[in-house]
Amino acid sequence: MLNKPVCDSWFSTKRIREDLYLITEPYYYWYNRANLWLIKGQTQDVLIDTGLGVSSLRQYIASLIDKPLLAIASHIHFDHAGGMNEFERCAIHAAEAEALRRGDNYEALCTPEQGWVQDEHFDRLPHAEFKAEQYTLHGAEPTQVLQEGDVLDLGDRALEVLHLPGHSPGCIALYDLRAQELFSGDVIYDGELLDELHCSHIPTYIATYERLQKLSVETVYPGHYRIFGQERYHQIMQEYLDRRRHPGCPSEPLMIQ
């Protein structure tokens, strides 16, 4: 780490459309690098996931915020909930609210023994004093505890909370019925799906996908990797179900998503 330069800006932004921005942490390992989605609404804005929390996301997005902001963690894992403590209004599903409240490094998968946060995962440093071995999840008091079926009213659109466990007990996605858009967190993305973590449960993941197969989705904005559409959405789920419905199938997950 000593030979790595400090980056000028830890984050980068891509404008998807007028009301949607994708924020990423480009100097962090691509395999674990989360997609952070800023949705601009008429009466409030929503930020889905907050990244590692190693640099101030709140300050970075300040110029984009002109109304009340709700920061939502799609689940407790460190690459998604690391920056939640920065935001006055923050939300997470009830199943993981206590873990966020107490800054539970084990549930966030970032204890030194778990080994997910490593020096080699940082191409540049977020600040000069940064050391991967000192990384910790900062606790945050949820101002809103989410449940299945909750609706977030942004004035010009509504986002429904879907509780979709399997990867972890409190995994959620946000669904826009009118636009048929799914902000999926780590429930579904176009990459290696991790379901053998200590917090994962394969039969529950199967049930989640069987539910999602019935959901009308045109576009998925996932927690990792690229945006994809309806055809790939169904392919990913069917491939997973075909593999996991047969017991004894090997899997060797390497990193946390």
Side-chain angles (χ1 to χ4, degrees), residues 38-111:
L38 176 61
I39 306 172
K40 302 285 294 174
Q42 186 178 62
T43 57
Q44 71 168 326
D45 298 335
V46 166
L47 175 66
I48 303 173
D49 289 333
T50 57
L52 299 171
V54 297
S55 185
S56 178
L57 178 59
R58 182 181 58 80
Q59 292 180 13
Y60 178 77
I61 65 173
S63 64
L64 297 174
I65 304 302
D66 55 3
K67 57 185 72 70
L69 174 69
L70 177 65
I72 299 173
S74 65
H75 60 303
I76 192 61
H77 293 162
F78 71 93
D79 49 331
H80 297 265
M84 291 290 284
N85 64 301
E86 280 202 290
F87 296 92
E88 293 182 5
R89 299 173 64 228
C90 60
I92 193 168
H93 187 268
E96 294 175 352
E98 181 57 30
L100 178 63
R101 186 175 290 115
R102 65 175 180 260
D104 190 326
N105 288 322
Y106 181 71
E107 292 305 318
L109 296 169
C110 59
T111 66

Side-chain angles (χ1 to χ4, degrees), residues 1-16:
M1 297 287 280
L2 294 177
N3 296 324
K4 294 181 181 178
V6 175
C7 62
D8 294 329
S9 176
W10 179 249
F11 301 100
S12 65
T13 301
K14 179 179 181 181
R15 182 177 174 180
I16 305 301

Side-chain angles (χ1 to χ4, degrees), residues 154-173:
L154 278 62
D156 53 350
R157 69 188 300 179
L159 299 172
E160 181 182 358
V161 176
L162 306 180
H163 181 212
L164 301 168
H167 177 69
S168 78
C171 270
I172 63 166

